[in-house]
Amino acid sequence: MSAETVESGPVVSAAAKRGIRVSLRSTSFGKALVHSAGRAFYLFDLEKKGKKPRCYGDCARAWPPVITKGKPRAGPGVPGKRLGTVPRTDGRRQLTYLGRPLYYYVDDTRDQILCHDVFEFGGNWLLIDKSGRPL
């Protein structure tokens, strides 16, 4: 269990202050943005830069939003100024990259990418490179 998912005790405070760390990792599709714990981040091509998230309900159960409780942090090779957050309707903050909300795929695990370039919920789900373009 990562520090971001612990729900009580002093670990939460430290994790909440630090936020999610975004890293670059080589994949079979190219270098992609990932959580520091190895889970790939996806963008939903129906969501445009600077817009609010559109993935809720069944969509968010299949493609959970990347939630951060603190300011996102950039790992090596990731430009920190491209990281941000956007509010969700429940008040939580969703990680963005160049203004686009990011998601996980529910069945991905560390270093496993199951659903790159998949059409679901009306749009394509794509890995993202450090320039902000889909792979």
Side-chain angles (χ1 to χ4, degrees):
M1 181 180 293
S2 72
E4 285 90 7
T5 61
V6 176
E7 295 188 14
S8 62
V11 176
V12 166
S13 299
K17 290 178 185 173
R18 292 185 7 218
I20 286 180
R21 185 169 183 191
V22 179
S23 300
L24 273 176
R25 181 154 297 149
S26 292
T27 72
S28 57
F29 303 102
K31 283 195 171 190
L33 296 178
V34 299
H35 184 282
S36 59
R39 288 194 67 195
F41 295 135
Y42 294 84
L43 61 83
F44 186 33
D45 73 350
L46 289 183
E47 296 176 337
K48 302 302 176 195
K49 182 178 178 178
K51 301 292 182 181
K52 293 184 179 184
R54 296 176 55 166
C55 182
Y56 289 92
D58 289 342
C59 178
R61 282 185 278 288
W63 297 93
V66 179
I67 301 299
T68 186
K69 294 181 180 179
K71 183 178 179 182
R73 299 174 296 134
V78 177
K81 63 185 177 186
R82 295 180 178 180
L83 298 172
T85 63
V86 65
R88 292 188 60 80
T89 57
D90 62 7
R92 296 182 302 161
R93 303 295 301 179
Q94 184 171 351
L95 177 68
T96 62
Y97 193 76
L98 288 171
R100 295 184 77 167
L102 298 182
Y103 298 86
Y104 298 113
Y105 176 63
V106 69
D107 290 328
D108 280 357
T109 59
R110 179 179 176 82
D111 299 326
Q112 181 182 42
I113 297 168
L114 298 173
C115 282
H116 170 61
D117 200 14
V118 168
F119 185 85
E120 201 169 51
F121 298 101
N124 286 312
W125 296 88
L126 303 158
L127 297 172
I128 186 170
D129 70 13
K130 83 173 194 174
S131 70
R133 289 188 302 261
L135 290 175

